[in-house]
Amino acid sequence: DFFDAVHRIVENVHFDRDVTVSLFETNIRVLGGLLSAHLLITDPSTGALEHAPPAFAYDDQLLDLALELAYRLLPAFSSPTGIPYHRVNLRRGVEPGETAQTCTAAAGTLLLEFGLLSRLSGERRFE
């Protein structure tokens, strides 16, 4: 169920990995998923916590994971134009020779997740 999945994510997902990811795909699927699940748990209007098992404890762990991931994605924005690189290594940043070419959709879609992350965390650097 949902709460078991949250527990498994909190216990097993770590982003200190030597892997190169698509900024666009990681943003919409991983960062967006973490933020959505965090909102589902913390927004009282969803009533999600009313259905949580008694042992379920949540202390913003998904938001913390989202922050960790976003910090690892930030090097992609260190391009000559400010438009982010398409790929970034989660441990080493942008690899030498990475192409600066990207599409407007891939660059523009970051506004939603990064803006929401700023609002939820208070970290203004993501806006």
Side-chain angles (χ1 to χ4, degrees), residues 5-14 57-58 60-62 65:
V6 169
H7 175 74
R8 288 174 188 250
I9 290 167
V10 168
E11 292 297 315
N12 298 299
V13 173
H14 306 283
Y58 184 72
D60 293 340
Q61 296 99 319
L62 296 177
L65 280 171

Side-chain angles (χ1 to χ4, degrees), residues 79-127:
S79 71
T81 63
I83 298 171
Y85 288 101
H86 181 70
R87 289 185 240 1
V88 62
N89 183 287
L90 294 182
R91 187 174 288 158
R92 293 179 281 149
V94 177
E95 300 282 3
E98 177 62 42
T99 180
Q101 294 180 349
T102 189
C103 67
T104 54
T109 190
L110 303 165
L111 295 172
L112 177 65
E113 290 84 358
F114 274 70
L116 179 59
L117 181 60
S118 278
R119 301 299 166 96
L120 293 173
S121 69
E123 292 275 343
R124 307 300 294 174
R125 73 179 332 160
F126 298 110
E127 284 196 66

